[in-house]
Amino acid sequence: MAETNLIFRSFASGSSGNCYYLGTKYSGILIDAGISARTIQKHLREMDLDFRNIMAVLVTHDHADHIRAVGTLGEKVHLPIYATPLIHSGIDKNYGVKEKLKTSRRFFEKETEWDLNGMIINTFPIAHDSTECVGYVIDYMDQRFMIATDCGSPNATMAECIRTTNHLVIEANHDEQLLLNGLYPTYLKERILSPKGHQSNATCAELLRNNWHDGLKNVFLCHLSQENNDPTVAYATVRDALEDVFLKPLSRTNASPVYELTDTPIKE
């Protein structure tokens, strides 16, 4: 592995908590912090990293499974917590964040490009029933990384971003038949299926089929439902939409391997 190659690792991906590392073997960022600070630190140490190697936490939206540890990371560990003004407002009101953000709060405007120590950050809107929700497009060296989690109905901007990215983390939350035939109450099924709910395996597959390009090398399926999905079902649904791409469903509760993101698909 080259010293400056981009690496990615999922620490957790699902309704119990979400957190991802993106960077190099020496420093990087966290995207979301919906698991405990202690668990995040454990996974960093497995990579020979610590909180001192983290430049910032980028927040996608203000639901508890994405922000549970931001107060601790911001105010006790002193990591900058980046979010839009609306997302920060939602974090302030969220009962799951015990330590409220003060000195660690950092703002950016949606769909405005900015530089974080050599990482070029941009965002795009996502339809979800939070105060506001964004996906991230991050350029580093000659690689482009994109994450779109907790997606309702896909939009044109998301599709445009997929057409330019090399490495993609995207929601494949549920199989519609498993959801409809499952034990969830009607109101919860309707919420998940709504235009501001969660993206199904089939919608994910269609989005990728329509926007696949030969520069897309690696796709990670995130935020799989425990009750209404299965990694093998998600993989099978999405696989046929892609050519010459490494495809991997991410575990809900277990950390993934460390993946090196280059201009060729990952080989496992």
Side-chain angles (χ1 to χ4, degrees), residues 50-152:
D50 207 331
F51 286 132
R52 290 169 294 182
N53 305 100
I54 301 301
M55 299 183 291
V57 181
L58 309 186
V59 180
T60 61
H61 64 290
D62 61 329
H63 284 169
D65 57 323
H66 294 260
I67 61 170
R68 192 168 286 115
V70 293
T72 300
L73 295 183
E75 298 304 313
K76 294 186 176 178
V77 183
H78 307 298
L79 298 181
I81 310 297
Y82 283 85
T84 68
L86 277 176
I87 294 172
H88 268 304
S89 175
I91 293 172
D92 288 344
K93 299 169 185 173
N94 192 295
Y95 68 91
V97 179
K98 305 300 183 186
E99 185 85 27
K100 296 304 178 183
L101 298 178
K102 300 180 184 71
T103 60
S104 61
R105 193 192 309 251
R106 303 289 187 276
F107 296 93
F108 63 82
E109 293 299 326
K110 184 175 59 179
E111 298 182 89
T112 299
E113 184 175 285
W114 48 286
D115 188 328
L116 180 63
N117 294 337
M119 284 186 166
I120 308 303
I121 316 291
N122 215 324
T123 57
F124 54 91
I126 287 179
H128 190 54
D129 57 1
S130 55
T131 305
E132 185 170 58
C133 188
V134 298
Y136 287 93
V137 175
I138 301 171
D139 289 292
Y140 178 75
M141 306 288 279
D142 58 349
Q143 301 299 314
R144 173 166 285 188
F145 173 92
M146 171 182 167
I147 182 167
T149 181
D150 291 49
C151 308

Side-chain angles (χ1 to χ4, degrees), residues 194-210:
S194 78
K196 292 188 175 182
H198 288 275
Q199 183 166 258
S200 70
N201 297 339
T203 300
C204 178
E206 181 181 11
L207 184 64
L208 292 174
R209 183 177 294 108
N210 292 338

